[in-house]
Amino acid sequence: MPSQILVIEDDQYIQELIAEFLRSQHYEVEVASDGREGWDKIQQQTYDLVILDIMMPHLDGYTVCRMIREKSDMPIIVLTALGEEKDQLRAFEMQADDYVVKPFSFQVLMKRVEAVLRRTKSTLKQSELLYGGRLRMDADAYKVYVDGQLIDTTTKEFDILNVLLTNTGRIMTRDMLLDKIWGYDYFGDSRIVDAHIKNIRKKLGISVIRTVKGVGYAWENTPAEVEG
C-alpha cells in the first residue's frame, strides 16, 4: 500500500510541484494551503509523513509541529526558506524528523522522504525488559517508566534510550546514534541528536545520560552530574 503524505504549503505553485512529483513516485498525496487546514486534516486522518512549511497564515509551521507532537509520532519534514541555524534548531527541538531549506532539489527531497519513511518502518525490538537504575523499559510495548511512573516518549526518544541503555557505560557518538536511529543515509544535521537528548532529559527528570563534550553521550545507572 502506498505511503500517504500530507503537504502543508501555502505557496500554491510549490505545493502543486511537490504533490505532482510525489505522485509520480507512486505516493498518495493530500495537500493543505495553510496551517489550520493542515491541522484539520491531521485530526481526521493519520499520515505516513507530513511535509510542513513554516511561514503560513492562520497557524505557522512551528505551531502545527508542536500540535502534531502532542498528538502523535507522525514523521515531519520541515520545508522552509528559513535557513538560519536558530530556525533549524527550533524545528529539531520541536522533534521534526528532518529539515529542508528552500530552494531545494526534488531529487534530494525524494531521498529524504524515502529515508524518513524507511526509518519509521524499522523499529528497535527486544524481548526482555531493560533496567537502568530507577528507569525501566518495556521494549516490546515501547513504554518507559521512572520509579514506576509511565513517561510519555516519542518513538525516536525511546529508540535513543534503548541504544544508550543497551550500551551502558559505552560512549555513543552522535554519528553512531544517527546511524542506529536515523539510518546511515540520514542527510540532516547531527544536532538533531542533541535536541532529542534535551527533550529526553526533561521528561525523565533524572540524570542518567552523561554528556561527553565534543563526542556524544553515555548511559550511567547511577545518577551523575550532567554536563550541557
Side-chain angles (χ1 to χ4, degrees), residues 159-209:
D159 288 345
I160 290 172
L161 283 170
N162 196 331
V163 170
L164 291 174
L165 184 51
T166 53
N167 290 275
T168 298
R170 179 186 179 190
I171 297 172
M172 303 297 292
T173 68
R174 290 172 177 82
D175 286 342
M176 291 167 70
L177 289 169
L178 283 173
D179 183 29
K180 289 179 177 294
I181 308 301
W182 279 266
Y184 69 90
D185 52 359
Y186 177 67
F187 290 94
D189 196 314
S190 65
R191 283 169 297 186
I192 191 174
V193 174
D194 301 333
H196 278 72
I197 292 290
K198 179 180 178 181
N199 289 330
I200 290 169
R201 285 172 168 162
K202 183 177 180 180
K203 290 181 177 182
L204 295 183
I206 55 176
S207 300
V208 290
I209 301 175

Side-chain angles (χ1 to χ4, degrees), residues 94-108:
M94 296 182 120
Q95 302 174 47
D97 294 271
D98 207 342
Y99 193 104
V100 178
V101 179
K102 301 173 183 176
F104 59 91
S105 157
F106 280 99
Q107 293 300 327
V108 170

Side-chain angles (χ1 to χ4, degrees), residues 36 55 65 70-71 99:
R36 184 177 298 163
M55 296 183 292
C65 185
E70 289 174 352
K71 179 178 183 287
Y99 193 104

Side-chain angles (χ1 to χ4, degrees), residues 69-146:
R69 281 294 168 261
E70 289 174 352
K71 179 178 183 287
S72 75
D73 294 329
M74 197 179 302
I76 302 168
I77 295 179
V78 170
L79 182 65
T80 177
L82 299 175
E84 292 188 13
E85 179 179 294
K86 64 180 179 63
D87 300 311
Q88 297 185 45
L89 289 175
R90 184 179 178 188
F92 287 139
E93 286 171 357
M94 296 182 120
Q95 302 174 47
D97 294 271
D98 207 342
Y99 193 104
V100 178
V101 179
K102 301 173 183 176
F104 59 91
S105 157
F106 280 99
Q107 293 300 327
V108 170
L109 176 62
M110 188 69 251
K111 289 298 182 183
R112 295 199 176 197
V113 166
E114 290 173 351
V116 169
L117 290 172
R118 186 160 53 248
R119 294 195 301 265
T120 303
K121 291 175 182 177
S122 65
T123 57
L124 296 174
K125 283 276 190 174
Q126 294 182 359
S127 60
E128 70 276 5
L129 295 175
L130 300 174
Y131 293 88
R134 296 160 58 189
L135 180 141
R136 176 170 63 91
M137 297 180 66
D138 184 338
D140 288 329
Y142 260 61
K143 292 182 178 180
V144 178
Y145 302 86
V146 173

